[in-house]
C-alpha cells in the first residue's frame, strides 16, 4: 500500500511539474524571443536548490518524511496560483519573466526537500534489497506523469493559454497533498526512527557526526565514502545533459516547426517516453544496471551526433526519445546507487548533497544550452553535447575505482 501511494504521489507531482514547466518555457520564449532567456529561467529552477542542499543538508534527515512531502507540495500549490494570477493579469514581459525566475527559485528548494523526503520514505519502506525495482517503477510512473503533463500543457497552451496551465498545476499539487495525507493513517509503520514522534530520540547531529568520523577512520569506511563521492561525481554529466536537452527543446522545436507549441509538447513527450523505458530497463536486473553504468554516457554522446543533421519532425522526435532513454537510464542508475550506498540515518543529507551537485550542473548546462542555441544555433549545441558526453565517458573509464564499481 505504501509503495503504491508514494508512487501515485510522485506521478501526480510529475504531471503538475510538467504542465507548469512546458508553460514556463514556451511562454518565456514567446515573450522574449530569446533562447538564452529560456536557459536563464530554467537555471533558476536549480541554483537556489544547490545552495540549500549544501547549507541545509543536515535538516533533510529531520522530521517525518511523510509530513515533509505534504508541506513542500503546499509551497508548490501557492506559487503555481501566483503564476496563474500574474499571467491572467497580463503583466509586462519583463515583470513576468522576473516572476518566473523567482517562482523557479522558491520551487527549486521545495522540490529538493521533496525529493530527499521521498528518498527517505522509500528506503524506510522498501529497504535496500527491493529499492532498485521500486525506484525503477517510480521513475517510469513519474515520467508517465510527465508525458501526460506535457501533452496536457500543449493542449492548454493551444486552446486556452498559459494561465490555465498554472491553475491546473496548482490543483494537481493540491491533489497530491491529499493523497499523501491519506497515507498518514499508516504512520506508525512508516515513521522514521529519527522522527519526532517515534519512541527514543536519536543522538544529536553533532554526536552522530562524531561517531561517523570515528567510524570513517577504518579503510573500509574510507573506501565506501570515496566510492559514494565518485558516484555523486558521475551523476553530474548525465543529469546535466538531461537538463541541457530540456532547455534546448523549445528552440529545436521552433527550428523544425516554427511557432508550434503543440510540436514542442510532442518533443517533450518523446523525451519522456524514452525516460519511461529507462525506468523499466534499470529494474530488469543488476546485470542490465551494470551495463548502463558502463556504457550509457558514451552511447548517449554518439546518439546526440545524430541530431546534428536537419531531420523531419517525426524522425527528430524518434531520435530524441532514444537519446532520452540512454541518458535517463544512467540518471536512474546513479540515483539508486546513491540511495543504496548512503549510511542509515543519513539518506536525506546524501540525497540533498547529490541533488545540490546535479542541480548546479543542471543550471550550468541549461544556461549553456540557451547561450549556444542563441549564438551558434541548435545544431551546433547538439554537437557540443555529443562531444562532451563522449569525453567524460572516456575520462571516467580511466578510474580503477569506477571500473570496479561498474562491473560489480
Amino acid at each position: 500500500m505504501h509503495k503504491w501511494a508514494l508512487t501515485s504521489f510522485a506521478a501526480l507531482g510529475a504531471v503538475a511539474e510538467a504542465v507548469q514547466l512546458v508553460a514556463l518555457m514556451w511562454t518565456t520564449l514567446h515573450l522574449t524571443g530569446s533562447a538564452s532567456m529560456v536557459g536563464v529561467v530554467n537555471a533558476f529552477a536549480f541554483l537556489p536548490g544547490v545552495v540549500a542542499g549544501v547549507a541545509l543538508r543536515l535538516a533533510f534527515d529531520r522530521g517525518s518524511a511523510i509530513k515533509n512531502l505534504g508541506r513542500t507540495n503546499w509551497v508548490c500549490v501557492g506559487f503555481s496560483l501566483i503564476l496563474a494570477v500574474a499571467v491572467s493579469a497580463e503583466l509586462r514581459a519583463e515583470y513576468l519573466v522576473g516572476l518566473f525566475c523567482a517562482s523557479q527559485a522558491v520551487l527549486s528548494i521545495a522540490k529538493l526537500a521533496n525529493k530527499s523526503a521521498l528518498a527517505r520514505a522509500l528506503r524506510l519502506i522498501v529497504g535496500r534489497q527491493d529499492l532498485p525495482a521500486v525506484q525503477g517503477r517510480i521513475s517510469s510512473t513519474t515520467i508517465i506523469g510527465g508525458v501526460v503533463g506535457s501533452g496536457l500543457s500543449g493542449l492548454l497552451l493551444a486552446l486556452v493559454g498559459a494561465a490555465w496551465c498554472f491553475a491546473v498545476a496548482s490543483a494537481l499539487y493540491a491533489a497530491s497533498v491529499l493523497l499523501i495525507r491519506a497515507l498518514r493513517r499508516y504512520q506508525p509503520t512508516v515513521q522514521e526512527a529519527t522522527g519526532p514522534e517515534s519512541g527514543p530520540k536519536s543522538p544529536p547531529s553533532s554526536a552522530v557526526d562524531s561517531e561517523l568520523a570515528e567510524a570513517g577512520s577504518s579503510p573500509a569506511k574510507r573506501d565506501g565514502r570515496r566510492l559514494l563521492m565518485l558516484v555523486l561525481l558521475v551523476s553530474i554529466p548525465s543529469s546535466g545533459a538531461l537538463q541541457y536537452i530540456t532547455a534546448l527543446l523549445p528552440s529545436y522545436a521552433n527550428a523544425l516547426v516554427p511557432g508550434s507549441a503543440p510540436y514542442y509538447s510532442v518533443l517533450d513527450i518523446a523525451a519522456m517516453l524514452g525516460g519511461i523505458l529507462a525506468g523499466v530497463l534499470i529494474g530488469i536486473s543488476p546485470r542490465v544496471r551494470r551495463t548502463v553504468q558502463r556504457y550509457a554516457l558514451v552511447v548517449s554522446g554518439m546518439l546526440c551526433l545524430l541530431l546534428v543533421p536537419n531531420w523531419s519532425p517525426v524522425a527528430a522526435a524518434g531520435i530524441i526519445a532514444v537519446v532520452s532513454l540512454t541518458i535517463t537510464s544512467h540518471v536512474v542508475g546513479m540515483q539508486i546507487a546513491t540511495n543504496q550506498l548512503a549510511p542509515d540515518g543519513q539518506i536525506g543529507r546524501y540525497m540533498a548533497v547529490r541533488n545540490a551537485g546535479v542541480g548546479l550542473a543542471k543550471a550550468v548546462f541549461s544556461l549553456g544550452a540557451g547561450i549556444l542555441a542563441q549564438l551558434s544555433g541548435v545544431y551546433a549545441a547538439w554537437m557540443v553535447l555529443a562531444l562532451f558526453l563522449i569525453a567524460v565517458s572516456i575520462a571516467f573509464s580511466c578510474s580503477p575505482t569506477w571500473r570496479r564499481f561498474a562491473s560489480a
Side-chain angles (χ1 to χ4, degrees):
M1 170 63 187
H2 308 316
K3 299 174 186 177
W4 287 108
L6 288 171
T7 301
S8 301
F9 169 84
L12 265 181
V15 176
E17 188 171 350
V19 168
Q20 185 165 297
L21 181 62
V22 169
L24 273 175
M25 303 278 275
W26 186 257
T27 304
T28 301
L29 185 64
H30 176 72
L31 289 173
T32 65
S34 170
S36 298
M37 190 54 64
V38 172
V40 169
V41 171
N42 204 34
F44 269 93
F46 306 104
L47 285 174
V50 171
V51 178
V54 175
L56 306 175
R57 62 189 183 279
L58 299 182
F60 292 108
D61 283 306
R62 297 172 186 163
S64 165
I66 302 299
K67 288 184 178 180
N68 288 344
L69 287 172
R71 290 166 183 159
T72 52
N73 265 35
W74 277 123
V75 176
C76 298
V77 169
F79 272 85
S80 297
L81 281 177
I82 291 172
L83 290 175
V85 171
V87 173
S88 297
E90 297 183 349
L91 298 181
R92 292 174 57 179
E94 55 267 31
Y95 295 154
L96 276 178
V97 172
L99 181 60
F100 289 170
C101 292
S103 66
Q104 289 280 78
V106 174
L107 292 176
S108 72
I109 299 174
K111 289 173 183 176
L112 175 68
N114 191 284
K115 290 176 181 177
S116 295
L118 183 59
R120 290 170 61 203
L122 283 173
R123 173 78 166 266
L124 179 72
I125 293 168
V126 305
R128 282 188 173 95
Q129 184 175 359
D130 297 330
L131 182 64
V134 176
Q135 182 73 64
R137 185 184 71 201
I138 287 182
S139 297
S140 295
T141 308
T142 300
I143 297 170
I144 290 172
V147 171
V148 174
S150 293
L152 179 59
S153 190
L155 287 175
L156 291 172
L157 284 170
L159 298 177
V160 292
W164 280 97
C165 294
F166 300 127
V168 169
S170 179
L172 289 168
Y173 279 128
S176 68
V177 173
L178 297 177
L179 178 64
I180 208 66
R181 278 191 171 185
L183 189 60
R184 288 187 184 179
R185 72 182 66 179
Y186 304 98
Q187 188 82 0
T189 62
V190 299
Q191 180 67 40
E192 296 91 336
T194 57
E197 294 152 12
S198 59
K201 297 277 186 180
S202 61
S205 60
S206 58
V208 174
D209 291 341
S210 175
E211 292 173 9
L212 290 171
E214 292 175 7
S217 61
S218 70
K221 289 289 184 180
R222 288 198 299 270
D223 288 345
R225 289 189 176 184
R226 278 197 296 266
L227 181 57
L228 181 55
M229 290 302 105
L230 185 58
V231 168
L232 297 178
L233 178 63
V234 177
S235 299
I236 290 174
S238 54
S239 295
L242 203 57
Q243 197 58 44
Y244 185 102
I245 293 173
T246 299
L248 202 57
L249 282 185
S251 300
Y252 187 53
N254 201 48
L256 294 176
V257 184
S260 175
Y263 181 65
Y264 165 47
S265 178
V266 167
L267 284 186
D268 204 43
I269 290 172
M272 290 182 182
L273 287 173
I276 294 169
L277 296 176
V280 175
L281 184 68
I282 285 294
I284 290 176
S285 71
R287 184 175 183 178
V288 171
R289 198 161 62 253
R290 288 193 295 269
T291 303
V292 167
Q293 288 166 178
R294 295 182 68 179
Y295 301 114
L297 288 180
V298 67
V299 170
S300 299
M302 293 176 178
L303 288 170
C304 284
L305 289 174
L306 295 177
L307 290 165
V308 176
N310 191 1
W311 293 92
S312 70
V314 175
I319 297 173
I320 288 290
V322 179
V323 171
S324 175
L325 166 64
T326 56
I327 294 180
T328 307
S329 296
H330 192 269
V331 171
V332 176
M334 293 303 100
Q335 288 174 343
I336 293 171
T338 303
N339 204 330
Q340 286 182 317
L341 290 169
D344 292 332
Q346 301 181 70
I347 307 160
R349 74 185 69 176
Y350 271 102
M351 292 302 292
V353 170
R354 177 195 179 276
N355 289 333
V358 300
L360 180 60
K362 288 176 179 180
V364 172
F365 276 63
S366 179
L367 288 171
I371 292 170
L372 284 170
Q374 186 76 30
L375 298 179
S376 305
V378 291
Y379 301 109
W382 286 124
M383 175 67 77
V384 170
L385 179 62
L387 296 178
F388 169 79
L389 290 174
I390 293 171
V392 297
S393 178
I394 294 172
F396 285 135
S397 68
C398 295
S399 166
T401 304
W402 179 252
R403 287 200 301 269
R404 287 198 302 271
F405 171 76
S407 59

